[in-house]
Amino acid sequence: MELIQENPDLSAYLAADEAIDHTHPLVRQTAARLAEASADSYVYARKAYEFVRDAIPHSADADDLRVTWRASDVLERRTGICHAKAHALAALLRAEDIPTALCYQRLLHDDGSAFALHGLVAVRLDGAWHRQDPRGNKPGVDAQFSLDGERLAFPVDAAAGEVDYPTLYAEPNPVTLEIMRAAPDRTYLWAKLPEELPRTQE
């Protein structure tokens, strides 16, 4: 699949915003700690990815009802759904001047009852974009940082109606972000999250 950069200006993928708040002291401190043990941008990106994947449990896996959406809150509370963890990883990567995009998949729930919009990132290294999924591993999920072929959490089954969206966004999906901001807990969030990207954003 050919990934499509929504904004031709690469600097847009380094910007801070309300969700990807990489100017926040906690984000800067975490990035600095990871960078101190990294020889180059590739090593740093892998370490940041593995930190978000492994040190911040996906809230559904941990049965944590708290909702986070801002990167600094994800790092502080150590919990978040896929979208929140993508914001945290994007913030850590952008903090070290590595262009990072947000991207999405439409996936079936484990029980096949409905679809959910899944969030992940793409990192710009070696002159190309590479998608990475920091949602967190569990039995049956083995996502890894890779620039040599994707090793995402979930392969898409097009025959079942699942979708890989090719567009790379500089900012979070606004519909999803607004729902996350308003959610009092994850139970509410699960019931409200969109099943797919709005048509104008595909």
Side-chain angles (χ1 to χ4, degrees):
M1 180 181 69
E2 181 181 357
L3 299 176
I4 302 167
Q5 200 172 304
E6 178 202 26
N7 192 325
D9 184 356
L10 198 59
S11 68
Y13 297 90
L14 292 170
D17 59 33
E18 193 176 11
I20 305 172
D21 58 339
H22 63 71
T23 59
H24 189 281
L26 179 56
V27 179
R28 305 302 299 187
Q29 291 163 14
T30 305
R33 186 175 71 251
L34 293 167
E36 192 174 350
S38 302
D40 55 33
S41 293
Y42 169 80
V43 174
Y44 174 81
R46 179 175 54 79
K47 284 182 177 292
Y49 166 84
E50 291 173 349
F51 173 77
V52 174
R53 184 194 65 187
D54 299 339
I56 302 172
H58 188 289
S59 55
D61 296 348
D63 197 24
D64 192 329
L65 292 179
R66 294 175 296 166
V67 175
T68 55
W69 56 270
R70 185 183 284 115
S72 57
D73 290 338
V74 176
L75 296 178
E76 179 182 4
R77 299 181 186 181
R78 296 295 179 97
T79 189
I81 65 167
C82 59
H83 299 283
K85 295 186 68 171
H87 299 167
L89 180 55
L92 290 174
L93 294 173
R94 292 183 184 187
E96 290 296 314
D97 295 321
I98 298 173
T100 307
L102 299 169
C103 41
Y104 301 93
Q105 297 173 314
R106 180 187 192 229
L107 300 174
L108 274 170
H109 286 295
D110 290 342
D111 62 5
S113 61
F115 291 95
L117 185 65
H118 179 61
L120 53 160
V121 307
V123 57
R124 180 89 177 178
L125 286 171
D126 296 342
W129 289 102
H130 307 272
R131 293 194 304 170
Q132 316 292 335
D133 191 341
R135 64 90 56 211
N137 289 338
K138 61 180 182 176
V141 176
D142 183 27
Q144 302 293 330
F145 185 84
S146 175
L147 305 186
D148 183 24
E150 293 185 338
R151 298 190 61 184
L152 305 179
F154 305 109
V156 162
D157 182 355
E162 295 184 332
V163 178
D164 257 329
Y165 296 107
T167 304
L168 305 176
Y169 297 95
E171 299 176 353
N173 172 255
V175 174
T176 303
L177 184 59
E178 187 59 34
I179 293 169
M180 293 172 71
R181 290 175 59 180
D185 56 42
R186 187 171 48 81
T187 302
Y188 175 96
L189 183 62
W190 252 212
K192 297 292 185 179
L193 281 173
E195 293 191 354
E196 58 187 358
L197 278 182
R199 291 293 178 185
T200 57
Q201 293 185 264
E202 290 182 10

